[in-house]
Amino acid sequence: MKLQTKILALSLPLAAAGSLFVSAMGRRVTQSVMVEELGRRIRPQIEDSASRIAVDLQMAREQGLLAGLQSIQAFSGANYAEALTVSGTVVAHTNVLEKGKQRTDMAIRQAMSADETLYIRNADSKGAMLLVSSPVWQPDDEFLLSPRAKKRIGTLRLAIPLRPTLESSQRVGELLAGLYVGVTLLALLFSLLLLKIILGPVQAIVDATSRVSAGDYGVVVPVVSRDELGSMAESFNRMSSVLSRTAVSRDRLEEALAITRAALEASADGILVVDKDLRVVTYNQPFVEMWGLTDELMRSRDVRRMAEFSKNQLEDPESFMRLVTLEVSSSADLDRRDMLRLKDGRLFDRVSKPFRISGQLVGRTVTTRDLTLHLEGVRALASARDEALETTRIKSQFLATISHELRTPLNSVIASAELLKKGRLDTEQAEYAETLTRAARALLDLLNGVLDFSKIEAGRMTIEHAHLTPAEILQDAASLLRPRAVEKGLRLDIDTGSCGDWPLFGDPTRLRQVLLNLISNAIKFTERGDVQVRVHPLSRKVMDRPLDAMAGRAWD
């Protein structure tokens, strides 16, 4: 009964405090959720109203703006509605006395800098308000097809009273507090009843524990149920049975030691366990082999003698001896990790950690790992990487040099072909001259592509943005590849459709290279029949870039 009384005395004040806390938190959370929901629900209507007053705000038509604001105030139940310019000046207000005032508070500046509708809680002389601010964009029927950003011309603000919302949240908080108190009292009553059932078996275990403490290891607690209390009694009886046996299984202990020894020897790292006096507790054979220690030294179990024997192998023997001395200093309870360089080029990673039994520091475990092969691998990998980078640089330089050297005679061929076209040629000769010019230009483009490859590797690649038409690019590519199609007995058809003469912006050179590769592959892998190239528009995007050759707009 004493425990039950304590629980009751402690639980009742906690329940009262919890009810107050739940009421306050429930009211605050409900207020936040309901205000958030109010803002979310009214947001589409506010943004629609902002778009409806955009023309009046742009034209500064006060009567139209005032009528629009009054309509917005009526459907939203707001205390007032106002329209501001981008500088924060009130253009129109449902309270005409506010017209012309300048808004400079932090909420206005935040709303002016936002591209979306914002709503914040505020309070004035009329009580709590929800201030809703929505940007007003310049009306533009073409902005959906234009890449230009929308232009903001002002802000629509409303002040919606929150009194009904806050009163509802108050009632929700009181309801939550009542529910909490009821549930708490029921849980308390159930706990007291359950505690009364539990205390009987627990008291029996307490009495049995006192008898075990007095030396009576044969005590048995009666098991009166099959639940957790029964399991506790059975566990106590098993513990008592174990304590009554004093013989220790030597075979199982030797088996555990054998497993531990096998795990030590199976490790590739050298492992040494020492006590607080730097005496060897145990070690494995890899540790002996790493440091070249003798059997006599290992039998001595003296770590200081082992360190004196091994220090001459290191590049810095004094630092190594100080490190061994630190193992028994005040810092012996900390982990240490050190890199040891040996005179023969080997590199050891030495990790020293405290070794505890039952929470008490009894020594340290020192693990030594040979990183020599790993370091050599890292160096070889770095050397291979440097060689690969140098090879790439030489290749890029070679490509750039060859491309520049070949472009000079190709430019001469193109110039000669252009001069030949200006001479007196019949139709067939003129066609041959034109084909020669286009082929030479295509080869020049190919060389430029090789040069582009070196630019890409150097990070200096640029993409043209010039005027082109689909029909012109396709006809150029087809004229170069049609002789190859004729040789295979194929017909090459070009169909640009309705978009053949569209003025476009793009990179003519790279587009021509892509088309040449595609059509060339089609001819290469077509044995008979024809090769057809068709152009279909997928979408149109108007670009505000006037062309020199036309007064209209181009497509990208």
Side-chain angles (χ1 to χ4, degrees), residues 164-315:
T165 302
L166 299 182
E167 290 176 350
S168 298
S169 66
Q170 176 74 21
R171 290 192 293 272
V172 171
E174 293 172 354
L175 178 61
L176 289 175
L179 289 175
Y180 175 82
V181 171
V183 172
T184 302
L185 292 177
L186 289 175
L188 180 60
L189 179 60
F190 179 79
S191 299
L192 292 175
L193 293 176
L194 184 62
L195 185 61
K196 184 177 181 180
I197 297 174
I198 294 175
L199 284 179
V202 170
Q203 186 62 46
I205 295 176
V206 171
D207 295 339
T209 303
S210 300
R211 292 175 61 185
V212 170
S213 300
D216 184 6
Y217 297 114
V219 62
V220 176
V221 176
V223 179
V224 297
S225 63
R226 294 298 178 184
D227 54 11
E228 287 80 4
L229 291 174
S231 299
M232 184 185 301
E234 291 177 351
S235 298
F236 181 87
N237 292 335
R238 288 194 296 269
M239 180 188 68
S240 177
S241 176
V242 171
L243 291 175
S244 65
R245 296 193 300 266
T246 58
V248 178
S249 177
R250 189 177 302 274
D251 294 338
R252 299 183 68 85
L253 178 60
E254 291 179 354
E255 179 182 357
L257 292 175
I259 293 174
T260 303
R261 171 52 57 186
L264 282 175
E265 297 299 335
S267 174
D269 300 335
I271 299 176
L272 175 69
V273 181
V274 300
D275 60 17
K276 292 191 295 185
D277 297 326
L278 289 186
R279 302 287 296 178
V280 175
V281 176
T282 187
Y283 61 92
N284 65 352
Q285 190 60 28
F287 174 81
V288 177
E289 296 173 354
M290 281 182 178
W291 293 102
L293 301 174
T294 63
D295 294 339
E296 190 274 331
L297 281 173
M298 300 312 300
R299 286 193 297 270
S300 70
R301 301 281 177 173
D302 189 345
V303 174
R304 292 182 180 82
R305 286 186 58 189
M306 297 178 187
E308 288 289 343
F309 176 82
S310 303
K311 69 176 183 179
N312 293 328
Q313 304 179 45
L314 288 101
E315 292 183 352

Side-chain angles (χ1 to χ4, degrees), residues 358-369:
S358 300
Q360 297 295 323
L361 179 65
V362 297
R364 300 186 70 84
T365 300
V366 181
T367 304
T368 307
R369 177 170 296 179

Side-chain angles (χ1 to χ4, degrees), residues 29-39 164-166 168-169 172:
V29 172
T30 306
Q31 286 181 9
S32 177
V33 171
M34 295 179 72
V35 170
E36 182 75 17
E37 180 64 15
L38 177 62
T165 302
L166 299 182
S168 298
S169 66
V172 171

